[in-house]
Amino acid sequence: MSVLLTDADTTVAAGRRLADLLRAGDLVVLTGGLGAGKTTFTRGLGEGLGVRGAVTSPTFVIARVHPSLVGGPELVHVDAYRLGGAAELDDLDLDSELDEAVTVVEWGAGLAEGLADERLEITLVADPETESRTLTATGVGARWADVDVESHLQEAPDAGPDATDDEGGVP
């Protein structure tokens, strides 16, 4: 399934919505070229999970751990771009935290699949002419077999300013 994200704000919002589906032990493998929105999407995941600290690219530190501020799982954010292979990823000892955290591995295709049999693989492809990007999500394993990822990634239709119920709230 694929979703069109029109700009950075919609990319962050899609990450926030996807966070509702994530739980401790989930592995998300992000793939996409430079500037495709991997870190932007992860920032939204972090916001949705309610973690501490600004989610920024961990390119130079390789991995960052963002503890939960709301009693949920922490976010382990990994950038595998500079890693030389699966052995270097294994050296990070991610599997020791995998059960307690949501782990996101940018540039993880071809490296991170060995961390878990069940994972969510997300590919972001940027349109060089616009700020838009296409997000494709594929669930791997029993964990994702019956999960409707697409509906969580889709932007909720704007009800408009006049769409309120009798109590002044949104219907």
Side-chain angles (χ1 to χ4, degrees):
M1 60 118 278
S2 293
V3 176
L4 179 65
L5 305 171
T6 57
D7 56 23
D9 290 340
T10 59
T11 303
V12 170
R16 274 195 306 268
R17 288 189 300 275
L18 182 65
D20 290 341
L21 291 178
L22 298 177
R23 61 185 187 212
D26 283 343
L27 172 64
V28 179
V29 179
L30 290 178
T31 303
L34 287 170
K38 297 178 296 296
T39 300
T40 302
F41 182 78
T42 305
R43 183 179 328 121
L45 284 176
E47 289 176 9
L49 291 171
V51 300
R52 184 181 73 207
V55 174
T56 60
S57 177
T59 298
F60 297 105
V61 295
I62 308 298
R64 283 197 174 96
V65 177
H66 297 273
S68 176
L69 296 171
V70 295
E74 63 188 9
L75 173 64
V76 176
H77 184 198
V78 179
D79 188 324
Y81 183 75
R82 296 187 312 128
L83 297 180
E88 287 185 26
L89 183 64
D90 189 50
D91 287 345
L92 295 176
D93 201 24
L94 294 175
D95 50 353
S96 68
E97 295 184 47
L98 209 54
D99 290 339
E100 296 95 39
V102 169
T103 303
V104 175
V105 182
E106 293 188 30
W107 301 96
L111 295 174
E113 294 86 355
L115 292 173
D117 292 333
E118 299 178 329
R119 63 193 170 275
L120 185 59
E121 297 177 349
I122 294 179
T123 302
L124 289 157
V125 178
D127 181 335
E129 302 296 319
T130 68
E131 284 188 62
S132 71
R133 56 202 35 104
T134 301
L135 182 151
T136 304
T138 305
V140 176
R143 158 73 175 102
W144 297 102
D146 296 323
V147 177
D148 185 5
V149 176
E150 182 174 11
S151 69
H152 275 77
L153 290 171
Q154 294 289 340
E155 188 168 7
D158 184 6
D162 298 324
T164 58
D165 62 19
D166 293 336
E167 318 246 320
V170 176

